[in-house]
Amino acid sequence: MATFNLADLTPDEKEMLAGIRKRKAELLEEIEQIRGELTQVNAEIEGLDIVEDDSKGNPKSKQMSIGRKKFNMDPKKGIEYLVEHGLLNHTAEEVAEFLYKGEGLNKSAVGDYLGEKNDFNIAVLQKFIECHDFNDLILVQALRQFLWSFRLPGEAQKIDRMMECFAKRYCDLNPGVFTSHDTCYILSFAIIMLNTSLHNPSVKDKPTLEMFITMNRGINEGKDLPRELLESLYESIRTEPFKIPEDDGNDLMHTFFNPDREGWLWKQAVYCYQMVGIIPLENIQVRHVDERIRPNSFELYSKNSEFIKACKTDADGRVVEGKHTVYRMASASPEEKEAWIKSIQASISHNPFFDMLQVRKKRVSTALKS
């Protein structure tokens, strides 16, 4: 066997040898990683085999699993599938109980379904809230229970209907706590907004107790709520934020398969042939741009000149945060540009809670004056 002395090697040969050793170490590490992945895949395959064997003996179980997956992608179609296969009766009571149990269901999809504006969905929402027992609970405890059973949708109208039903249910079970369910409704929104302001890292100026008390003056049919009540609510939220159901991955699938608008856009003169990032339409605006090189352009920009909360994939495929205050895009025609701007403007919301709270306060104030 041939041997050699390291001292006899030239600098270039030493550098080459060091590179070979480094690559060898990397390959060994990759092999170990692949072995680990193979072990995990084999375990998953064995698990799938067990599920398949169970489903062969119980086809209804397999249909139920399919129905849940369909619901998570499209709630309406999921319910239709379950009804068609005799797994669910098309009654508000049964559908509500199915959603309340939530077994295998994505909580964002549950929230979207409950918020729909048609007679059957509204009836399901009412029955869903009746599944909750708010009896003898203080308001913040009832809210914690309610907001854990689904994820609030992003549309203001849906949130309004859901919180309206919640307030009425709470007041029915706890008579005498508030003079009207309007008071409960307004205070519930104020608590949710307080939770966001106190525990969202992006909110720099945290509301004080006095600010929270001032915010809720006159909401009890023109009178103030007891200071002790507001102090206890503030302290409860300050010490323990709401536990909101986390997205489990199906939320993104549900969103991307059910967009308000879809199509192709150019971003900063680069044609994107695949989705490489996400830009949440929160605290941003959209505006027209006159661009000679790329006509039909528009921009998404931060209202506060801060970084837009976006994420994208870099050259290595890693997900990273976007560091832009402006995103410029272009469509294929003036008509498409207007359609995109209109769709985006309809979806943008700086804070739906604040808007609805102001509307309800105004309504209560007008009713008192009349």
Side-chain angles (χ1 to χ4, degrees), residues 6-272:
L6 288 177
D8 297 334
L9 297 179
T10 65
D12 288 342
E13 289 172 334
K14 288 180 180 180
E15 184 178 351
M16 182 182 298
L17 180 60
I20 292 172
R21 286 174 173 172
K22 181 180 179 182
R23 182 56 183 156
K24 178 183 177 182
E26 290 174 348
L27 288 172
L28 289 173
E29 185 177 345
E30 289 176 10
I31 290 170
E32 287 302 315
Q33 183 178 350
I34 292 171
R35 283 176 178 168
E37 291 175 354
L38 283 172
T39 301
Q40 183 178 352
V41 169
N42 286 332
E44 291 176 357
I45 290 173
E46 290 175 4
L48 288 172
D49 290 340
I50 294 172
V51 172
E52 283 188 10
D53 290 339
D54 290 344
S55 65
K56 289 177 182 177
N58 186 2
K60 289 292 183 182
S61 176
K62 183 176 181 180
Q63 290 175 344
M64 177 61 78
S65 178
I66 293 172
R68 291 189 181 111
K69 290 178 181 177
K70 285 181 176 291
F71 178 88
N72 291 338
M73 291 184 63
D74 188 320
K76 182 180 177 181
K77 290 182 179 178
I79 295 296
E80 289 174 351
Y81 176 90
L82 293 169
V83 171
E84 288 171 3
H85 288 78
L87 300 169
L88 196 64
N89 289 322
H90 195 253
T91 65
E93 291 84 355
E94 281 210 23
V95 174
E97 186 176 352
F98 171 73
L99 300 181
Y100 179 72
K101 290 180 179 178
E103 193 175 328
L105 300 183
N106 177 266
K107 292 193 176 183
S108 290
V110 173
D112 285 338
Y113 185 85
L114 292 172
E116 287 297 326
K117 188 181 180 181
N118 63 63
D119 291 342
F120 184 75
N121 288 66
I122 291 173
V124 171
L125 171 62
Q126 292 170 344
K127 294 298 181 182
F128 178 84
I129 293 180
E130 288 177 9
C131 292
H132 291 269
D133 184 8
F134 303 136
N135 198 28
D136 293 329
L137 295 181
I138 62 173
L139 182 59
V140 71
Q141 291 173 330
L143 276 171
R144 290 186 193 280
Q145 180 189 137
F146 182 57
L147 296 177
W148 180 249
S149 61
F150 66 98
R151 278 183 70 92
L152 279 172
E155 295 180 37
Q157 296 86 352
K158 289 185 177 183
I159 299 172
D160 181 65
R161 284 191 292 274
M162 300 168 91
M163 296 305 297
E164 178 84 36
C165 286
F166 165 80
K168 189 175 185 307
R169 171 70 171 169
Y170 181 84
C171 290
D172 288 344
L173 293 177
N174 299 278
V177 175
F178 300 109
T179 54
S180 72
H181 74 270
D182 274 335
T183 302
C184 181
Y185 173 100
I186 295 171
L187 185 57
S188 296
F189 268 120
I191 292 171
I192 294 172
M193 291 169 63
L194 175 68
N195 181 81
T196 301
S197 299
L198 285 177
H199 300 290
N200 189 332
S202 64
V203 178
K204 297 175 182 177
D205 298 323
K206 305 296 184 184
T208 64
L209 170 61
E210 294 304 321
M211 291 170 64
F212 180 65
I213 291 173
T214 300
M215 178 185 182
N216 290 288
R217 279 185 180 152
I219 67 171
N220 194 24
E221 293 194 340
K223 300 178 182 179
D224 292 344
L225 291 166
R227 182 183 177 90
E228 297 77 18
L229 170 64
L230 297 177
E231 286 178 349
S232 66
L233 294 175
Y234 181 92
E235 188 63 19
S236 176
I237 293 299
R238 187 188 69 80
T239 56
E240 184 183 355
F242 284 131
K243 292 181 180 179
I244 305 299
E246 296 181 359
D247 295 340
D248 60 5
N250 288 325
D251 297 72
L252 294 177
M253 185 177 294
H254 175 72
T255 300
F256 294 147
F257 276 92
N258 297 273
D260 293 325
R261 181 172 180 80
E262 58 184 344
W264 298 100
L265 290 170
W266 285 267
K267 176 184 175 293
Q268 296 180 343
V270 178
Y271 186 75
C272 297

